[in-house]
Amino acid sequence: MGLGFVPLGLAFGALVVQSGLDWWWAGLSAAVAFGGSFEFLLIGLVVAAAPLASVAVAAFMVNVRHVFYALSFPLHRVRGRLGKAYSTFALCDEAYALASTERARSWPGPRVLWMQCYLHVYWTGSALTGALLGSLIPESVTGLDFALTALFTVLALDALRDLRGDLPTPLLAAVSALVARMLFPEQMLLVAFALFTAVLLARHLLLTTGRPDRA
């Protein structure tokens, strides 16, 4: 996953320079914001000199999905206030995808924390490198902003493989996305996550209450 951050970070850093921003914007954003999808959006907001309120609303709408991640992320294994604070800050899509797998259920707190730290370092270093080398990439090169979508596609495929035949879950996710797209297109991400979470909780309650008690 860390190596997967390299081309993504290089693309982000190059996109920062090609957008007319100084190279250090890439490192600052990667180190402080650390929100891959929002950072790509932030480039356009900074270039357009968007009001701070608009930036804050955009950041909330894009990253509100992390609230749902917290429901199953193993933050309770991380010890210490400082460790928990950093783990909360560094909770990205890729860290959640790794920590929520079946193999990660036995990971101790330090391993979870170091995994997030390494991803942070990979992302920041790759973004800086891409920004410094961005001037070498011709302006005619397009598709750099698609790198994030490509990585999410790979994560989705890995998650489907990990389900081991649990077909209803991806179907529920697809239906939730379609319903949110048709009814609330401007808030699709938030509504889709909320609807998918509600459906999963309802299914869990139905399965739990339907099981006979064992002595």
Side-chain angles (χ1 to χ4, degrees), residues 15 22 27 55 71 82 87 94 112 121 167 195:
L15 189 61
D22 294 329
V55 176
L71 297 176
L82 185 60
S87 183
E94 293 77 13
V112 174
V121 171
L167 185 60
L195 182 60

Side-chain angles (χ1 to χ4, degrees), residues 142-156:
T142 59
L144 292 177
D145 52 348
F146 186 75
L148 184 65
T149 305
L151 180 58
F152 283 165
T153 302
V154 174
L155 289 176

